[in-house]
Amino acid sequence: MEQVCTRDIMEVFNLNLICGEEGIGRHILTSDISRPGLEMAGYFTHYPAERVQLLGKTELSFFLMLPKAERIERMQKLCAEDTPAIIISHNMEVPEELRMAAEENHVPVLTTNLSTTRFSSKLTTYLESRLAPSTAVHGVLVDIYGIGVLITGNSGVGKSETALELVKKGHRLVADDCVEIYQESENTLIGNAPPLIAHMLEIRGIGIIDIMTMFGASAVRRHKRISLVIDLEVWDSEKTYDRLGIETDTMRILDTDLTKLTIPVRPGRNLSVIIEVAAMNHRLKNLGVNSAEEFTKRLEDVIQGQG
């Protein structure tokens, strides 16, 4: 998980720093945002102080109706020790009581010209992407017919060569060698390439090639949701491989189980075509068309008919 501090969101969203500059390096630990309406009314029992606090017209208009002493008390409690930032929308004027409490407790107060709802949506999306659980997997990620296929296997098994052939067929490379994966939401994994090797592909005997320069911008994409894992392994004559496709194997990455297919590799097998078909078959299964189950049903009908 990446670390995000108040300075990051100030720069990304072009926010104006009003006061509390000493706390600009405070870390933001959650993507949840709080609109402290109940707190303005004095209820701090379950105050989520660790969240970014967003004040809009509703909160501030109510706050200004309070007696002076209560306004001071509310802002002192709002500026907690672990509050990363207080942001005011619509570029509204910052109340003096908030300025004093923020300076005393070193809580940064910022303003934005966006509306409360719009800024809340933008900030939540940004924080969810930055704070999402993440990992890195050795493999190749390719967009095949709109299906994000993660190709894994031991070094030298032919992952990059297969990806190159898929790119020549019109599919798009996302990442080679190292795939950075983060969990955008429940059961949704997004993969992308580290900036250093974006658009690059390593082919043994040739070296590093730039796919975007060689095949054009349409041959690559920055990120893709991962739907299928294909593990390439050297053919083992003593191992029994699934020939019907009835059994479903999975691979767990972070908190998500992905469908996994094991493809044996040996001379003469056209891996790019096999992976293309695997991607199309996976899409058909998602649409409710399962060839293996249909075959099994036909076989049972024939057996029952003969009986």
Side-chain angles (χ1 to χ4, degrees):
M1 183 184 296
E2 289 190 53
Q3 287 190 338
V4 182
C5 67
T6 304
R7 182 182 292 104
D8 295 326
I9 64 171
M10 184 181 74
E11 294 173 353
V12 170
F13 295 101
N14 195 27
L15 304 178
N16 300 312
L17 178 63
I18 306 301
C19 55
E21 185 175 359
E22 291 186 25
I24 202 67
R26 291 192 177 194
H27 290 295
I28 300 173
L29 304 177
T30 176
S31 60
D32 295 330
I33 297 173
S34 175
R35 293 193 61 180
L38 286 175
E39 287 77 9
M40 291 296 96
Y43 185 78
F44 281 86
T45 303
H46 300 289
Y47 173 46
E50 74 285 355
R51 301 181 185 179
V52 172
Q53 306 297 319
L54 181 58
L55 299 175
K57 290 182 178 179
T58 303
E59 291 82 11
L60 285 185
S61 61
F62 176 81
F63 173 77
L64 294 175
M65 296 170 57
L66 298 173
K68 179 72 174 180
E70 290 186 12
R71 294 206 300 267
I72 295 174
E73 178 201 7
R74 301 287 195 274
M75 287 309 175
Q76 283 291 340
K77 290 183 177 180
L78 195 69
C79 295
E81 182 180 349
D82 51 350
T83 300
I86 297 175
I87 302 175
I88 296 178
S89 61
H90 297 283
N91 268 342
M92 290 184 291
E93 184 178 351
V94 179
E96 183 60 30
E97 295 83 0
L98 176 55
R99 288 174 181 264
M100 294 172 56
E103 288 290 356
E104 181 180 339
N105 297 286
H106 311 303
V107 176
V109 175
L110 309 106
T111 62
T112 174
N113 60 352
L114 298 177
S115 67
T116 314
T117 302
R118 187 178 180 189
F119 180 76
S120 176
S121 176
K122 284 178 172 288
L123 181 58
T124 299
T125 301
Y126 171 77
L127 292 176
E128 283 182 345
S129 64
R130 288 288 304 273
L131 297 175
S134 61
T135 186
V137 173
H138 176 65
V140 182
L141 180 58
V142 186
D143 179 0
I144 304 174
Y145 300 125
I147 301 294
V149 180
L150 177 63
I151 305 172
T152 62
N154 293 331
S155 182
V157 77
K159 300 184 296 296
S160 297
E161 291 81 356
T162 302
L164 179 59
E165 192 167 352
L166 288 166
V167 168
K168 288 188 64 178
K169 289 173 175 285
H171 305 294
R172 295 189 283 179
L173 175 72
V174 182
D176 176 49
D177 190 49
C178 178
V179 183
E180 293 182 342
I181 302 174
Y182 66 92
Q183 188 154 356
E184 186 179 66
S185 59
E186 187 177 0
N187 296 325
T188 302
L189 296 177
I190 305 296
N192 60 268
L196 181 64
I197 59 173
H199 312 151
M200 301 294 182
L201 192 66
E202 178 193 357
I203 303 297
R204 283 176 172 79
I206 297 178
I208 304 295
I209 60 175
D210 189 326
I211 294 297
M212 186 167 69
T213 302
M214 189 171 292
F215 295 98
S218 62
V220 298
R221 65 176 304 164
R222 293 178 58 188
H223 50 78
K224 179 64 183 175
R225 176 179 178 179
I226 303 173
S227 302
L228 177 65
V229 177
I230 293 184
D231 186 50
L232 303 180
E233 68 172 35
V234 178
W235 187 291
D236 184 354
S237 59
E238 297 183 358
K239 183 177 179 178
T240 302
Y241 295 100
D242 186 10
R243 301 183 63 179
L244 296 179
I246 297 176
E247 299 179 1
T248 301
D249 195 9
T250 60
M251 176 179 178
R252 175 166 281 262
I253 299 178
L254 297 174
D255 291 329
T256 301
D257 290 322
L258 297 171
T259 300
K260 175 186 173 184
L261 302 177
T262 299
I263 305 296
V265 178
R266 69 176 180 181
R269 301 202 86 194
N270 193 327
L271 292 178
S272 64
V273 171
I274 293 173
I275 293 175
E276 278 184 318
V277 171
M280 289 188 287
N281 191 51
H282 181 75
R283 169 176 279 183
L284 285 173
K285 286 183 178 180
N286 289 337
L287 295 174
V289 180
N290 193 315
S291 302
E293 291 181 356
E294 178 65 23
F295 172 77
T296 303
K297 183 176 181 302
R298 291 183 186 180
L299 183 61
E300 290 176 353
D301 291 341
V302 170
I303 294 174
Q304 290 177 0
Q306 291 178 348

